[in-house]
Amino acid sequence: MPGFELFGDKERESVQKALETGVLMRYGFDAMRGGRWMASDLESALAKRMNTEYAHLVSSGTAALTVALASAGVGAGDEVIVPTFTFVASFEAVLALGAIPVLCDIDDTLTLDPEAVRRAITARTKVIMPVHMCGSMADLGALKTIADEYGLLLLEDACQAIGGTYNGQPLGTIGEVGCFSFDYVKTITCGEGGALVTRSRDLYEKAQAFSDHGHDHIGSDRGAEGHPHLGFNFRISELNAAVGLAQLARLDEFLDKQKAHYARLRQAISGLPGVEFRRVPEGGVENYSFLNFFLSDETTARRARQALLAAGVDGVFYWYDNNWHYHRRWDHFKELRSLYRFPELIRERLVSINGRDFAASDHWMGRNLSLLVKLGWDGQELEARAQAMARALSSL
Ligand SMILES: *Cc1c(COP(=O)(O)O)cnc(C)c1O
């Protein structure tokens, strides 16, 4: 997955272009910048690549989620349905706005289970937030039907699945709004950065103002701009955007590599007794950033992980025990260990909602192993890895 593995001359040249003028801010300084607009150019390129209307860059994927939710009017006491298997950013963004993250079970897609989503809906629900974990997607058709039925916003967190598609459409563009992360370990990186994509002009306008202190960005005198509403600072710098410009141009090259590596590793272990691959919803195409499979039970999954590590296979994740991706170990969230006082409403609702039983999620996650697909392997490394994986897993 990590685009940093192939960081090279193109990225260096792009950053150098930004350094030549020294204009490192994305807005203003028109005369000094010599026609160079790294963030704006990256937004145009991203919207085009994603076959959508608008893209807006911000400082991180977490910021993109926060800005998307705020721009959709999500606030105090509103509920946002998030999966039990995700990244902590999902609940951080919701909490930042005074809204309530409602954990919801996943299924064998490793993403939101549509039936569990139905059961999690209350009168306060505003958003369904599927998170396309490890390169593959939620059942977006089913979730869209539910969102339409209840009048909810569908916000796709596609931070780990850029380049994947659903019914031919890029992930991130199926819901009303989608978010990407360009942090250092994502498929393409800005160093730090993120973006939201949408077809809604209204949502885009709000997002670009909200992420820059409410500036309306009308005219060329920043000091004279209006502020239609309050905002915050989630801006990206020109240096980060410059890295992203070079990386986005290489996205398809990265995806091709990822796919080839994934295909070889998958082939090496498919057909082994007890190995069952993650379900990809019909119409979906992964971005191939991870190879995910289930073993017959938790004990076997733990043994398989040990066998793979002993065979020298690195990048093997057992998310079930992970404390920033899976609900079981989110003690700081469950105990609401915040540095500042939280609204009582949130405190009460969180305790009652999130104390639920997530045995259905545990059933899948306890059996799952997830192998990072790297971009930097050469043919020999890939082959050695494929053979080591097959040996380790058939020894069980
Ligand atoms: C990386 C990631 C984020 C947040 O991105 P940052 O840019 O690191 O803030 C959000 N959701 C998922 C699923 C991620 O993997």
Side-chain angles (χ1 to χ4, degrees):
M1 172 158 90
F4 74 75
E5 291 181 85
L6 302 181
F7 186 97
D9 288 343
K10 288 189 173 128
E11 287 77 0
R12 273 185 281 274
E13 278 163 29
S14 187
V15 174
Q16 193 55 39
K17 270 194 203 159
L19 287 173
E20 276 163 16
T21 65
V23 177
L24 307 184
M25 178 160 170
R26 67 158 303 176
Y27 296 115
F29 303 95
D30 299 28
M32 278 171 66
R33 63 195 314 140
R36 287 175 188 172
W37 300 89
M38 300 301 179
S40 295
D41 287 354
L42 178 51
E43 285 167 351
S44 307
L46 184 64
K48 184 162 180 252
R49 173 62 180 77
M50 293 301 149
N51 193 22
T52 188
E53 292 295 318
Y54 305 101
H56 180 62
L57 282 172
V58 286
S59 50
S60 70
T62 311
L65 294 170
T66 310
V67 172
L69 289 167
S71 303
V74 174
D78 292 336
E79 293 180 2
V80 178
I81 295 177
V82 300
T84 51
F85 176 46
T86 178
F87 177 55
V88 290
S90 304
F91 59 75
E92 288 170 342
V94 177
L95 290 174
L97 298 169
I100 300 165
V102 175
L103 298 186
C104 180
D105 271 323
I106 56 146
D107 59 20
D108 56 345
T109 64
L110 300 180
T111 65
L112 281 179
D113 170 6
E115 284 314 307
V117 167
R118 271 186 192 280
R119 291 192 297 271
I121 292 172
T122 72
R124 297 173 199 253
T125 308
K126 287 282 157 64
V127 181
I128 304 174
M129 189 198 287
V131 183
H132 306 317
M133 287 299 282
C134 300
S136 183
M137 78 251 34
D139 185 341
L140 288 164
L143 293 179
K144 212 169 161 54
T145 302
I146 298 171
D148 290 347
E149 193 179 323
Y150 290 88
L152 307 175
L153 183 94
L154 188 62
L155 187 170
E156 290 176 75
D157 177 339
C159 290
Q160 294 193 6
I162 191 165
T165 59
Y166 181 78
N167 289 340
Q169 269 179 272
L171 294 178
T173 68
I174 291 112
E176 280 89 347
V177 56
C179 294
F180 297 114
S181 164
F182 303 128
D183 79 20
Y184 194 55
V185 297
K186 296 304 202 286
T187 302
I188 55 173
T189 185
C190 288
E192 296 284 1
L196 61 86
V197 290
T198 183
R199 289 196 173 78
S200 160
R201 180 168 183 94
D202 178 59
L203 199 138
Y204 165 74
E205 291 292 351
K206 286 175 173 154
Q208 54 102 33
F210 181 77
S211 60
D212 183 26
H213 308 293
H215 275 279
D216 62 13
H217 302 131
I218 294 172
S220 56
D221 179 359
R222 190 165 167 83
E225 285 178 19
H227 302 98
H229 48 73
L230 291 167
F232 207 80
N233 180 3
F234 290 116
R235 288 192 310 262
I236 192 166
S237 84
E238 289 286 89
L239 288 178
N240 294 100
V243 178
L245 257 178
Q247 288 254 304
L248 180 64
R250 304 177 66 193
L251 175 61
D252 291 309
E253 169 200 334
F254 292 0
L255 292 172
D256 287 348
K257 242 190 209 14
Q258 230 164 233
K259 183 177 179 178
H261 292 178
Y262 171 107
R264 175 65 189 103
L265 300 182
R266 181 172 171 133
Q267 184 234 343
I269 61 167
S270 63
L272 290 182
V275 172
E276 202 184 314
F277 294 104
R278 159 203 210 158
R279 180 167 64 87
V280 176
E282 203 184 322
V285 177
E286 300 179 65
N287 89 336
Y288 307 106
S289 54
F290 285 83
L291 176 62
N292 281 280
F293 54 92
F294 302 106
L295 286 308
S296 51
D297 54 38
E298 183 183 328
T299 310
T300 314
R302 290 181 186 279
R303 278 177 45 221
R305 177 161 185 273
Q306 287 311 324
L308 287 165
L309 293 178
V313 178
D314 62 359
V316 183
F317 294 93
Y318 184 56
W319 302 119
Y320 191 59
D321 287 343
N322 182 287
N323 69 8
W324 77 97
H325 282 295
Y326 194 54
H327 80 94
R328 272 192 348 130
R329 304 277 302 277
W330 289 338
D331 297 339
H332 64 319
F333 169 58
K334 291 181 180 174
E335 294 166 15
L336 214 56
R337 270 186 235 145
S338 78
L339 291 177
Y340 47 90
R341 202 143 53 89
F342 258 64
E344 270 319 303
L345 172 70
I346 298 189
R347 198 168 273 286
E348 286 161 19
R349 294 285 297 159
L350 272 183
V351 171
S352 69
I353 291 171
N354 293 331
R356 287 175 186 160
D357 167 62
F358 295 110
S361 300
D362 292 348
H363 169 77
W364 294 111
M365 293 309 294
R367 300 165 50 196
N368 178 256
L369 287 187
S370 193
L371 270 61
L372 178 65
V373 176
K374 288 195 185 170
L375 295 168
W377 293 323
D378 63 24
Q380 219 172 354
E381 283 168 318
L382 180 67
E383 203 41 48
R385 188 178 178 85
Q387 289 174 21
M389 279 169 55
R391 267 199 315 278
L393 293 179
S394 40
S395 75
L396 291 174

